[in-house]
């Protein structure tokens, strides 16, 4: 018997007003039911926003360093429960334990960073143009934030948003992905245990159109922080635009790894295997294009295909598993659809392109790591985000051609170049249109304390991680103090 979980509103675990629920299953074995969760609707969001309003009144008055102490305790609890959480997360979304442990570690790093930010949250001061007058900007809590998150990093991505929001003094209504509600419940339990006052965070589970959309239009919600697909992100931005809400979007990618002839080939091979097939290719930073310079192309592909075929597919909770399942049937169908598209476009299917024959994998959403060669830049498999274990290999003549192909997509999240030539590396840093460029490392592997985000259709200019995210979740008030005892007219009496 699996457990039934409820929403958290106003510090209490409550049933959804809709009275309906949904079951969440293990993508490696769909007969394993993780739990039953509330399929919430607009009335639940409304109740959550009312509670968050009360939570904001209280929490925003607590000094930031004290708020930071709560996050320090949350980081300690995440550390204590790292293995137990990772196990449940793998059961819920499939990626191997080594990766879900990394997911929790990222949240731990983010918690400690946010905790220390409670004693910093610097703003700016500048000299006034008038005598006996001071000008300074101070940070204030911004309000109630709607947090809408995906399933591929069930704890890390929410932590990037929720921890900074909390240390800034905001209240939160969180609608996690429908595929990872268990992880969300555990995350919120930790925050409560860490001493977060009731009402400051509300958890409302359910589906996008029913539970996510009403959050983006609720009058008391100050802003939305979203990670997910570009299609949904743009809808959310439109809804937020109607009411002048803040909105931070982290969306699709079509990330490329460029390998020049002079690269350390072994390093580049390890990088692309990890970048393309880690998390079954389901990271927004996953390597979905490999650009190989002509001189190394054939040899590199032969070796890569062999290594991709040696990757062990299976339940991420079993030792020795390299690649887990896709998240659900729809995701696997999407990969299969792109295999047909790539084949029809004339690309050469070198390996994969099918559901594994192994009967032990029949209960889950597995798909073999897939590599296409002979891919041209205009093909759909070189342009569209697939979010699965499908790698498109393109041949490029030189650095300039490589950068041109790299930039020839609508997205701009992550990028990577493998070369021993320092000039080539710096050319790429200058000219690749992406929010992240790795030199001699794969396209995945963001650290919690650096800005994370992308350009073009990947985002709307905001960054998560590091210091810029604190700007999104706080307001700046400028304060002028005139202690001259007379009227001083700015721009006139100077
Ligand atoms: P993914 O491709 O990663 O599943 P989605 O963009 O579909 O990305 O979903 C990301 C998050 O956005 C999920 O929590 C989902 O429920 C939510 N979502 C989906 N549609 C909407 C919508 N119309 N309004 C608000 N949230 C939505």
């Amino acid at each position: 018997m699996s457990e039934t979980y409820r929403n958290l509103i106003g510090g209490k675990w409550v049933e959804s007003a809709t009275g309906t629920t949904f079951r969440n299953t293990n993508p490696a074995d769909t007969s394993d039911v993780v739990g039953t969760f509330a399929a919430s609707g607009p009335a639940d969001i409304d109740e959550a926003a009312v509670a968050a309003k009360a939570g904001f009144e209280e929490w925003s008055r607590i000094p930031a360093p004290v708020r930071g102490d709560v996050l320090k305790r949350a980081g300690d609890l995440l550390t204590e429960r790292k293995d137990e959480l990772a196990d449940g997360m793998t059961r819920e979304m499939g990626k191997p334990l080594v990766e879900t442990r990394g997911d929790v570690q990222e949240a731990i790093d983010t918690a400690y960073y946010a905790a220390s930010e409670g004693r910093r949250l610097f703003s700016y001061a500048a000299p006034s143009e008038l005598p006996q007058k001071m000008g300074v900007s101070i940070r204030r809590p911004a309000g109630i934030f709607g947090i809408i998150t995906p399933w591929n990093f069930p704890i890390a991505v929410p932590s990037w948003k929720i921890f900074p929001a909390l240390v800034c003094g905001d209240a939160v209504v969180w609608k996690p992905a429908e595929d990872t509600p268990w992880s969300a419940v555990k995350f919120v339990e930790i925050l409560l245990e860490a001493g977060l006052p009731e009402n400051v965070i509300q958890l409302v589970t359910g589906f996008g159109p029913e539970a996510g959309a009403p959050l983006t239009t609720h009058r008391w919600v100050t802003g939305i922080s979203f990670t997910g697909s570009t299609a949904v992100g743009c809808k959310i931005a439109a809804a937020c635009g109607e009411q002048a809400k803040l909105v931070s979007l982290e969306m699709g990618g079509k990330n490329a790894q460029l390998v020049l002839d002079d690269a350390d080939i072994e390093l580049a091979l390890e990088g692309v295997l990890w970048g393309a097939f880690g998390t079954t290719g389901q990271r927004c930073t996953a390597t979905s294009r490999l650009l190989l310079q002509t001189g190394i192309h054939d040899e590199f592909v032969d070796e890569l295909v062999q290594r991709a075929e040696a990757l062990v597919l299976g339940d991420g909770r079993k030792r020795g598993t390299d690649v887990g399942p896709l998240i659900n049937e729809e995701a696997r169908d999407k990969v299969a659809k792109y295999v047909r598209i790539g084949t029809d476009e004339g690309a050469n299917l070198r390996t994969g392109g099918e559901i594994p024959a192994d009967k032990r994998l029949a209960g889950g959403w597995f798909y073999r790591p897939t590599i296409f060669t002979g891919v041209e830049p205009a093909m759909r498999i070189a342009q569209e985000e697939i979010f699965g274990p499908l790698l498109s290999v393109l041949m490029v003549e030189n650095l300039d051609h490589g950068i041109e192909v790299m930039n020839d997509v609508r997205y701009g999240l992550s990028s990577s170049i493998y070369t021993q030539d320092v000039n080539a590396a710096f050319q790429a840093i200058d000219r690749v249109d992406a929010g992240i460029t790795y030199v001699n490392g794969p396209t995945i592997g963001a650290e919690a304390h650096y800005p994370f985000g992308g350009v073009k259709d990947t985002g709307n200019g905001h960054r998560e991680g590091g210091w810029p995210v604190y700007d999104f979740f706080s307001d700046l008030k400028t304060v002028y103090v005139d202690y001259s005892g007379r009227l001083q007219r700015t721009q006139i009496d100077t």
Side-chain angles (χ1 to χ4, degrees):
M1 262 278 292
S2 71
E3 256 188 82
T4 297
Y5 299 87
R6 291 175 291 176
N7 289 331
L8 180 84
I9 298 178
K12 296 190 179 55
W13 295 97
V14 293
E15 312 246 318
S16 153
T18 62
T20 53
T21 57
F22 66 100
R23 284 189 341 160
N24 184 28
T25 57
N26 176 346
D29 170 10
T30 56
S31 67
D32 174 25
V33 179
V34 174
T36 302
F37 297 86
S40 312
D44 299 299
I45 291 293
D46 191 46
E47 221 185 297
V50 171
K53 202 159 189 267
F56 179 69
E57 294 300 319
E58 179 186 351
W59 185 240
S60 58
R61 293 198 192 116
I62 292 175
V66 180
R67 296 193 297 249
D69 290 344
V70 172
L71 294 173
K72 159 78 174 60
R73 286 196 290 278
D76 294 343
L77 290 167
L78 285 163
T79 307
E80 266 171 38
R81 295 188 198 155
K82 185 170 170 177
D83 286 343
E84 169 192 336
L85 284 168
D87 186 73
M89 288 157 74
T90 295
R91 180 180 175 207
E92 180 166 63
M93 59 71 69
K95 66 186 177 187
L97 284 179
V98 64
E99 294 185 39
T100 42
R101 285 197 193 107
D103 196 310
V104 180
Q105 186 58 47
E106 203 165 326
I108 295 167
D109 299 341
T110 305
Y112 292 147
Y113 186 94
S116 58
E117 199 61 45
R119 292 194 178 270
R120 205 172 75 125
L121 284 180
F122 290 159
S123 51
Y124 312 90
S128 165
E129 65 188 41
L130 289 162
Q132 300 185 325
K133 186 178 170 194
M134 189 188 75
V136 63
S137 65
I138 56 168
R139 266 182 211 280
R140 303 179 77 220
I144 298 169
F145 280 86
I147 306 288
I148 301 178
T149 52
W151 48 266
N152 59 342
F153 283 86
I155 285 197
V157 167
S159 81
W160 291 357
K161 301 173 187 298
I162 292 172
F163 291 164
L166 292 179
V167 85
C168 286
D170 302 324
V172 165
V173 179
W174 178 21
K175 206 301 280 172
E178 47 273 36
D179 285 300
T180 50
W182 179 88
S183 304
V185 168
K186 296 294 142 185
F187 186 88
V188 165
E189 281 175 0
I190 282 178
L191 278 167
L192 296 180
E193 262 184 75
L196 191 69
E198 57 182 40
N199 288 322
V200 179
I201 188 162
Q202 337 300 317
L203 175 68
V204 181
T205 60
F207 296 86
E210 295 79 16
L215 190 53
T216 66
T217 53
H218 198 285
R219 67 188 189 286
W220 287 341
V221 171
T222 311
I224 298 284
S225 177
F226 168 83
T227 299
S229 62
T230 297
V232 170
C234 290
K235 267 196 221 168
I236 290 177
C240 289
E242 292 268 320
Q243 292 181 34
K245 291 188 193 305
L246 303 174
V247 59
S248 167
L249 304 171
E250 201 52 66
M251 307 183 287
K254 190 69 187 173
N255 317 293
Q257 173 177 320
L258 169 61
V259 187
L260 297 182
D261 285 346
D262 71 354
D264 177 333
I265 299 302
E266 179 57 33
L267 196 64
L269 276 163
E270 283 176 14
V272 69
L273 275 170
W274 177 231
F277 303 121
T279 321
T280 322
Q282 304 170 107
R283 291 186 181 214
C284 27
T285 53
T287 311
S288 60
R289 294 180 296 151
L290 175 66
L291 315 185
L292 297 176
Q293 198 173 354
T294 346
I296 49 136
H297 178 277
D298 294 356
E299 197 189 328
F300 196 104
V301 167
D302 289 344
E303 186 61 31
L304 178 63
V305 166
Q306 264 187 37
R307 294 192 194 192
E309 286 175 353
L311 292 172
V312 177
L313 264 68
D315 181 340
R317 292 198 288 173
K318 295 220 170 91
R319 255 177 197 282
T321 296
D322 296 311
V323 181
L326 275 297
I327 186 67
N328 54 34
E329 185 171 19
E330 195 188 340
R332 184 168 76 173
D333 287 350
K334 186 175 177 191
V335 177
K337 182 185 89 177
Y338 275 98
V339 167
R340 286 193 297 279
I341 291 172
T343 309
D344 291 347
E345 284 178 314
N348 178 16
L349 178 62
R350 283 293 300 264
T351 188
E354 60 184 11
I355 292 170
D358 188 341
K359 283 209 183 67
R360 284 169 309 166
L361 303 178
W365 307 119
F366 292 94
Y367 200 84
R368 283 187 51 204
T370 299
I371 299 174
F372 274 103
T373 56
V375 178
E376 295 297 330
M379 289 180 179
R380 286 181 64 189
I381 57 169
Q383 290 289 330
E384 296 172 20
E385 186 175 48
I386 300 167
F387 227 62
L390 192 162
L391 179 70
S392 297
V393 184
L394 295 90
M395 184 138 63
V396 296
E397 283 160 26
N398 50 35
L399 173 70
D400 286 344
H401 186 211
I403 293 176
E404 184 190 317
V405 172
M406 223 179 206
N407 285 342
D408 182 23
V409 289
R410 61 187 283 221
Y411 300 110
L413 181 55
S414 188
S415 57
S416 143
I417 178 168
Y418 281 77
T419 180
Q420 304 287 343
D421 177 351
V422 69
N423 293 347
F426 274 89
Q427 288 285 340
I429 293 168
D430 268 358
R431 289 159 55 198
V432 171
D433 298 329
I436 306 165
T437 295
Y438 291 91
V439 176
N440 293 327
T443 58
I444 66 179
E447 296 182 32
H449 57 298
Y450 290 101
F452 179 93
V455 299
K456 300 200 273 189
D457 287 358
T458 293
N460 64 341
H462 290 286
R463 291 290 180 270
E464 303 196 276
W467 51 98
V469 71
Y470 295 87
D471 283 331
F472 179 72
F473 285 112
S474 60
D475 273 337
L476 284 179
K477 171 184 275 191
T478 303
V479 181
Y480 296 104
V481 181
D482 189 323
Y483 51 97
S484 68
R486 59 184 190 277
L487 172 66
Q488 298 199 86
R489 295 174 305 172
T490 313
Q491 286 99 33
I492 294 170
D493 295 336
T494 46

